[in-house]
Amino acid sequence: MGVVNVTPDSFSDGGRWLDAATAVRHGVELVAEGADLVDVGGESTRPGALRIDADEEARRVLPVIEGLVAEGVRVSVDTMRAATARRALEAGATIINDVSGGRADPAMMALAAEVGSPVVLMHWREHSATMQNHTHYDDLVADIRAELGQQVDAALAAGVDPSRVIVDPGLGFSKTGEQNWTVLAHLDAFVAMGFPLLVAASRKGFLGELLAGPDGPRPAGERDHATAAVSTLAAAAGAWCVRVHDARSSADAVRVAARLAAESGPR
Ligand code: PMM
């Protein structure tokens, strides 16, 4: 999954794809470099980010989705709002990527059930403005899994078909850098939930901290090699999808993991 954030303020690519034509060109490029689908979002979820209104969100994402669909690209919409998701699906998006996993907008799971599209349910506690005040867990992996399990149960109760559910542990969302590493070390616990697993580590702050030099954390644009390393490990651990800003490096990484997995089969 390649990422196109149509936002002025995303930490990873904010401001670069605000113009719709540029965003569409970038999405097409991500596919040429190996992405199977492109995730289009109009609202930044960086720690501390404030919300924008629904009209502004739609104004940002709809032309990009229409442009990508016209180019034959498979699109997911990264939104927490049912109204935006509905308009995005009408514009040709086929997957809902709700980082709140149904918690931000009670109408979202009813929409997913109605349209029958695949839906990414990410582990989520709070909106970005305050999420980093909520990083306490008694047992990190077990708690995230249990809370994500409740989100899945709510989606199924709203009528979402289990075959449409994709789960995501939500790296960086109500999680410290250290906690992100613990989650990555235990992806098997999330694979064991029995749904396709999405992992989105790309360019996130914990990679910048790991790679920090004398001038501080490695800047977001220089974290793609580390991202590809995570993509290899996530794929080897059984992830179904990695959400990344640089498609080529992670597509190559996933192919390496798949080749090795084929080799470790029966001899
Ligand atoms: N992270 C971001 C945005 N959307 N979607 C899913 N499913 N999982 C994530 O972890 C996630 C997401 C924030 O980062 P960005 O700047 O790369 O969009």
Side-chain angles (χ1 to χ4, degrees), residues 92-169:
T94 52
I95 299 178
I96 301 171
N97 176 22
D98 178 0
V99 297
S100 84
R103 289 206 204 265
D105 184 344
M108 185 68 100
M109 289 307 121
L111 172 71
E114 176 196 324
V115 297
S117 64
V119 58
V120 180
L121 302 177
M122 196 192 82
H123 172 257
W124 186 89
R125 286 181 157 182
E126 285 263 341
H127 282 289
S128 298
T130 51
M131 67 181 177
Q132 291 313 92
N133 301 334
H134 298 271
T135 58
H136 173 78
Y137 299 84
D138 292 327
D139 179 337
L140 182 75
V141 174
D143 290 359
I144 295 171
R145 192 179 144 150
E147 291 171 19
L148 188 53
Q150 288 165 6
Q151 293 173 238
V152 171
D153 289 345
L156 302 184
V160 174
D161 191 280
S163 69
R164 311 270 87 184
V165 170
I166 298 151
V167 294
D168 176 349

Side-chain angles (χ1 to χ4, degrees), residues 12-194:
S12 49
D13 58 353
R16 292 193 63 190
W17 322 117
L18 262 178
D19 167 66
T22 313
V24 170
R25 262 201 311 280
H26 181 57
V28 168
E29 201 174 272
L30 287 168
V31 171
E33 291 180 351
D36 295 316
L37 73 159
V38 172
D39 191 43
V40 180
E43 181 170 54
S44 171
T45 49
R46 67 182 297 155
L50 298 176
R51 301 213 64 193
I52 57 165
D53 70 42
D55 284 339
E56 173 63 12
E57 185 183 30
R59 195 191 62 72
R60 291 180 186 176
V61 298
L62 293 178
V64 179
I65 293 171
E66 283 162 8
L68 286 171
V69 170
E71 296 284 344
V73 174
R74 191 169 171 218
V75 172
S76 58
V77 60
D78 185 341
T79 182
M80 290 183 269
R81 287 195 181 88
T84 305
R86 184 180 289 281
R87 292 175 71 181
L89 294 166
E90 285 165 2
T94 52
I95 299 178
I96 301 171
N97 176 22
D98 178 0
V99 297
S100 84
R103 289 206 204 265
D105 184 344
M108 185 68 100
M109 289 307 121
L111 172 71
E114 176 196 324
V115 297
S117 64
V119 58
V120 180
L121 302 177
M122 196 192 82
H123 172 257
W124 186 89
R125 286 181 157 182
E126 285 263 341
H127 282 289
S128 298
T130 51
M131 67 181 177
Q132 291 313 92
N133 301 334
H134 298 271
T135 58
H136 173 78
Y137 299 84
D138 292 327
D139 179 337
L140 182 75
V141 174
D143 290 359
I144 295 171
R145 192 179 144 150
E147 291 171 19
L148 188 53
Q150 288 165 6
Q151 293 173 238
V152 171
D153 289 345
L156 302 184
V160 174
D161 191 280
S163 69
R164 311 270 87 184
V165 170
I166 298 151
V167 294
D168 176 349
L171 294 169
F173 287 81
S174 293
K175 287 157 205 92
T176 65
E178 291 303 308
Q179 289 169 337
N180 289 338
W181 287 113
T182 306
V183 168
L184 281 176
H186 293 88
L187 289 179
D188 54 328
F190 300 99
V191 171
M193 291 178 76

